[in-house]
């Protein structure tokens, strides 16, 4: 569990927080195997015996005062007695994980209902047949790759959808498909239960014995546009658009189908939905005409018009998925408007992921699927952050759904080691940590989760042989307790800033503002924040003073030269304003791509998000020798460095660029055994998505893909190259904003 704060020393009170201009909060990656310093938790058992505070329900930890018979809660100070069992337990502290470390992972007892369950992982692929041959070939290769990643004992089901829903039985000698026609009306559901079409036990096939037959079934798939129209024409209903995409009805039926066996056949199901365009048939169909009509209303922000969902259908369907114990991953491979703004809720709120590929030719879908299924994940997760009594959580951000009954409790259906969530803090009162005798602030994050252990893990753990060959459920409780410092003045606060976590909270806030008020409002919020931060920094360091309420004495320090920790923030804000997340549609930003970035960025841990917003540009003198570890993203940096090879890491894209002046004797592309390739391979392995790797020779190949990342000479509003350098003019604009802000006396 990695936890990073925007400031390692917290503001002393509300006034100090307000005057600093720095967001106050943390990012949490709960299922990360280690903490932010590379330390693993201390593992143990008997998590149900861990004492809890009777007042705030925090868990006992190393920061609590412990006497022979009682203990004081480190978060609220409440004293309470120890049970006789706990007294005996804590008389041998070296055997208690919670006495040894503030980062523990404890096993919980399995409930009786879980013991009776057959916890075999269940995977279902739902494939769009209203598509092209290229789409189906890509989907087939992705599923064949995913079958290699699935653990033995897993169950797999294959379904297709168009104007009808197809279920495949692959357990016999030849694949058999049974189809149900989808009603064309927007309120319709399937006329028959899927269990009556094909029993679920027949639909879900064991992967280890049926892998070849699943592959054979995939080979039989053909798009409806090439063969279905003619064969179904005699059965068509008047008004039916043959080849329509009945995605909504198909997903609802599949979720209900699986939900009937939740808790008996499986503990967690995953549905992979492959889409080649917008749902346009039956219930859940989306009207894509709004894409062409977004400029029709003169009163509305054109970008804002495409950000809200147009129907609650898929948000409601996510609730069905949660109840069915199923998470849905959506893989959209399309260059037409698909309205991911409406579809995203089905994946995000069910604990799944949203992947978007603009074409099938260079898609990384097979690699992404294999990577996703190869990494460990937890399910049925509950996340709770508690604080000491002087402060509390404000907003929480991330792909979870809040508990309907308990405040500040988040449920996560499926969580991998990359998934990250964020919280911001606020004070309970004006005194904050300034009151006499105040203890250092404490944060405690509790993460309860379940993992499925495959049969080989059970045999390794020494369980009896009768359990071999079966999967097993393990419920665990991971707790991290942190004691934080307090900044006694503004200088200490600024010196403790972590700019990557600040960026993370800013991204969450501007995404929220964009969704509620439009992209233009999100941009204004970000720009105004930097202006206010710069003004408050200059006032704190007494670099600029206001004289007679109108004239300013001193030079505005917009580069934060007195504080190294803040110096990267102007560049990060500039880069975020240039990012497709916040650029306008008229600049060529597709609304579905914007939604994809919102979903991706809001789940990334801070270091990855930093790369996605402001890529890392490194130079090499040869493929085996690094020249400089970091350059600014400008043409000037390329020219002045004199290096022949540049490597750009933009998180989802990796580019190796050979300068036009590079020695022709340098091998291109870089050899597989060189240092640069080693760096590239390591980065690819560490990513939650598969980055696209591009090699470019300057002067010979089209360098547009590389040059687009050299943003510092681009105008912040996207009007192209300016007569003065883009980042420089941006800083001048911020300086002007600071002067106006200070004169206004806000």
């Amino acid at each position: 569990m990695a936890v990073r704060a925007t400031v390692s020393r917290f503001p002393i009170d509300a006034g100090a927080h307000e005057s600093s201009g720095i967001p106050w909060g943390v990012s949490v990656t709960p299922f990360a195997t280690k903490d932010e310093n590379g330390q693993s938790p201390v593992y143990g058992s008997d998590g149900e015996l861990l004492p809890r505070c009777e007042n705030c329900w925090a868990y006992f930890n190393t920061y609590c005062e412990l006497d022979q018979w009682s203990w004081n809660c480190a978060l609220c100070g409440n004293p309470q007695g120890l049970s006789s069992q706990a007294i005996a337990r804590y008389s041998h502290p070296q055997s208690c994980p919670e006495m040894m470390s503030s980062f523990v992972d404890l096993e919980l007892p399995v409930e009786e209902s879980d013991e009776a369950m057959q916890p075999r992982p269940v995977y279902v692929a739902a494939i769009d047949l209203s598509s092209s041959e290229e789409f189906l070939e890509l989907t087939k290769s992705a599923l064949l790759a995913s079958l290699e990643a699935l653990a033995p004992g897993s169950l797999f089901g294959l379904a297709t959808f168009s104007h009808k829903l197809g279920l495949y039985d692959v357990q016999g000698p030849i694949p058999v498909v049974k189809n149900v026609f989808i009603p064309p009306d927007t309120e319709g559901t399937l006329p028959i239960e899927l269990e009556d079409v094909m029993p679920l036990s027949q639909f879900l096939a064991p992967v280890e014995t049926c892998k070849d037959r699943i592959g054979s079934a995939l080979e039989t798939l053909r798009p409806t546009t090439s063969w279905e129209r003619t064969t179904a024409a005699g059965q068509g209903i008047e008004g039916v658009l043959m080849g329509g995409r009945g995605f909504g009805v198909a997903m609802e039926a599949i979720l209900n189908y699986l939900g009937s066996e939740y808790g008996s056949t499986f503990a967690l199901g995953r549905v992979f939905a492959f889409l080649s365009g917008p749902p346009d048939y039956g219930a859940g169909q989306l009207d894509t005409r709004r894409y062409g009509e977004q400029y029709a209303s003169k009163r509305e922000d054109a970008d804002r018009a495409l950000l809200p969902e147009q129907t609650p259908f898929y948000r409601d369907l996510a609730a069905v998925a949660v109840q069915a114990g199923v998470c849905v991953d959506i893989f959209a491979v399309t260059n037409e408007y698909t309205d991911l703004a409406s579809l995203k809720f089905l994946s995000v709120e069910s604990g799944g992921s949203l992947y978007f590929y603009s074409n099938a030719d260079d898609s990384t879908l097979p690699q992404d699927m294999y990577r996703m299924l190869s990494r460990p994940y937890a399910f049925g997760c509950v996340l709770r952050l508690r604080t000491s009594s002087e402060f509390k959580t404000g907003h929480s951000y991330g792909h979870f759904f809040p508990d309907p009954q308990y405040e500040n409790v988040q449920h996560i259906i499926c969580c991998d080691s990359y998934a990250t969530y964020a919280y911001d803090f606020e004070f309970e009162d004006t005194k904050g940590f300034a009151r006499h005798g105040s203890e250092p602030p404490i944060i405690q994050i509790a993460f309860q989760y379940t993992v499925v252990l495959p049969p080989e893990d059970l045999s390794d753990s020494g369980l009896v042989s009768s359990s071999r060959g079966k999967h097993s459920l393990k419920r665990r409780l991971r707790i991290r307790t942190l004691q934080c410092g307090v900044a006694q003045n503004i200088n200490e606060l600024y010196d403790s800033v972590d700019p990557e976590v600040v960026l993370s909270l800013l991204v969450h806030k501007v995404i929220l503002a964009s969704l509620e008020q439009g992209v233009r409002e999100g941009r204004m919020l970000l720009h105004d924040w930097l202006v206010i931060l710069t003004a408050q920094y200059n006032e704190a360091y007494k670099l600029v003073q206001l004289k007679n309420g109108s004239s300013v004495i001193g030079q505005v320090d917009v580069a934060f030269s007195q504080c190294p920790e803040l110096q990267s923030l102007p560049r990060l804000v500039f880069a975020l304003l240039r990012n497709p997340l916040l650029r306008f549609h008229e600049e060529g930003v597709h609304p579905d791509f914007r939604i994809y970035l919102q979903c991706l960025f809001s789940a990334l841990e801070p270091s990855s998000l930093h790369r996605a917003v402001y890529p890392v540009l490194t130079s090499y003198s040869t493929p085996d020798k690094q020249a400089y570890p970091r350059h600014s993203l400008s043409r000037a940096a390329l020219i002045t460095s004199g290096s022949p090879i540049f490597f750009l890491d933009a998180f989802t894209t990796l580019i190796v660029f050979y300068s036009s002046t590079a020695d022709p004797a340098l091998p291109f592309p870089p050899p597989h055994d060189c240092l640069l390739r080693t760096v590239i391979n390591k980065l690819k392995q560490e990513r939650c998505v598969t980055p696209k790797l591009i090699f470019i020779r300057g002067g010979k190949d089209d360098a547009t893909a590389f040059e687009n990342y050299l943003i510092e000479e681009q105008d912040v509003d996207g009007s192209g190259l300016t007569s003065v350098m883009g980042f420089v003019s941006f800083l001048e604009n911020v300086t002007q904003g600071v002067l106006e802000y200070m004169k206004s006396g806000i």
Side-chain angles (χ1 to χ4, degrees), residues 620-653:
Y620 286 76
S621 48
T622 72
D624 269 311
K625 185 179 180 182
Q626 188 186 88
Y628 297 101
R630 191 101 192 207
H631 296 277
S632 61
L633 299 176
S634 66
R635 287 173 174 80
L638 268 64
I639 296 166
T640 55
S641 77
S643 299
I645 304 171
F646 293 89
F647 173 56
L648 185 131
D649 176 7
F651 190 72
T652 55
T653 306

Side-chain angles (χ1 to χ4, degrees), residues 288-296 300-307 335-338 356 514 518-520 523 577-595 716-718:
T288 55
R289 288 176 299 181
R290 71 174 185 165
Y291 182 48
E293 296 171 353
Q294 62 172 320
Y295 296 105
E300 190 173 20
D301 176 355
D303 294 278
R304 185 181 178 186
L306 298 175
L307 288 173
N335 60 0
E336 61 177 309
Y337 177 58
T338 304
F356 176 67
S514 298
V519 172
R520 203 172 301 276
R523 291 176 63 88
L577 290 167
R578 286 297 306 136
N579 192 279
L581 184 76
L582 288 178
R583 276 160 60 191
F584 297 118
H585 177 73
E586 52 263 36
E587 289 185 65
V589 179
H590 196 286
D592 285 337
F593 184 57
R594 193 194 308 280
I595 294 295
V716 73
D717 290 324

Side-chain angles (χ1 to χ4, degrees), residues 186-262:
T186 56
E187 300 295 325
T189 56
L190 288 184
I192 184 172
E193 294 290 331
L194 292 187
E195 184 67 31
D196 296 329
V197 177
M198 183 181 291
L200 192 62
S201 58
Q202 208 172 318
F203 174 68
L204 296 175
V207 169
E208 65 266 34
T209 57
C210 298
K211 192 180 293 184
D212 291 342
R213 293 172 190 165
I214 295 168
S216 299
L218 290 172
E219 288 304 320
T220 67
L221 300 184
R222 298 290 183 272
T224 54
T225 47
S226 62
W227 61 280
E228 192 77 19
R229 288 178 186 274
T230 51
T231 57
Q235 305 166 29
I237 305 165
E238 187 178 353
V240 169
L241 172 63
M242 293 301 171
R245 192 174 290 110
F247 176 68
V249 176
M251 292 306 297
E252 186 174 32
I254 289 170
L255 292 174
N256 289 327
Y257 189 30
L258 294 174
S260 63
E261 288 296 310
Y262 174 46

Side-chain angles (χ1 to χ4, degrees), residues 592-703:
D592 285 337
F593 184 57
R594 193 194 308 280
I595 294 295
Y596 163 70
L597 288 181
Q598 287 182 355
C599 294
L600 176 67
F601 285 8
S602 57
L604 288 181
E605 56 86 27
S607 296
S608 298
L609 181 61
H610 187 179
R611 277 176 153 76
V613 171
Y614 193 93
V616 175
L617 181 62
T618 311
S619 61
Y620 286 76
S621 48
T622 72
D624 269 311
K625 185 179 180 182
Q626 188 186 88
Y628 297 101
R630 191 101 192 207
H631 296 277
S632 61
L633 299 176
S634 66
R635 287 173 174 80
L638 268 64
I639 296 166
T640 55
S641 77
S643 299
I645 304 171
F646 293 89
F647 173 56
L648 185 131
D649 176 7
F651 190 72
T652 55
T653 306
L654 304 175
I655 300 178
V656 176
F657 177 78
Y658 278 53
S659 165
S660 57
T661 58
D663 185 344
L666 286 172
F668 179 90
H672 284 279
D673 58 350
C674 70
L675 171 66
L676 180 52
R677 284 281 194 172
T678 304
V679 170
I680 290 170
N681 292 336
K682 184 173 184 291
L683 289 171
K684 289 172 74 173
Q685 288 173 0
E686 292 171 350
R687 291 284 138 95
C688 59
V689 296
T690 308
K692 191 183 297 183
L693 180 60
I694 302 172
F695 297 100
I696 298 174
R697 286 176 297 183
K700 293 185 178 180
D701 303 327
D702 182 3

Side-chain angles (χ1 to χ4, degrees), residues 118-230:
Q118 299 175 33
R120 302 182 76 174
V122 166
Y123 305 92
V124 172
I127 304 173
D128 179 5
L129 294 186
S130 302
S131 56
S132 63
E133 289 281 3
E134 293 77 16
F135 170 85
L136 287 181
E137 285 303 316
L138 177 66
T139 302
K140 290 173 192 175
S141 62
L143 286 172
L144 290 172
S146 71
L147 290 174
E148 298 302 320
L150 299 183
S154 302
L155 299 175
F156 183 88
L158 177 62
T160 58
F161 62 89
S162 55
H163 62 285
K164 59 185 179 181
L165 173 59
L167 301 178
Y168 281 75
D169 177 3
V170 296
Q171 298 186 59
I174 57 170
V176 175
V177 59
K178 293 186 178 180
N179 293 299
V180 185
F181 281 93
I182 294 172
D185 56 287
T186 56
E187 300 295 325
T189 56
L190 288 184
I192 184 172
E193 294 290 331
L194 292 187
E195 184 67 31
D196 296 329
V197 177
M198 183 181 291
L200 192 62
S201 58
Q202 208 172 318
F203 174 68
L204 296 175
V207 169
E208 65 266 34
T209 57
C210 298
K211 192 180 293 184
D212 291 342
R213 293 172 190 165
I214 295 168
S216 299
L218 290 172
E219 288 304 320
T220 67
L221 300 184
R222 298 290 183 272
T224 54
T225 47
S226 62
W227 61 280
E228 192 77 19
R229 288 178 186 274
T230 51

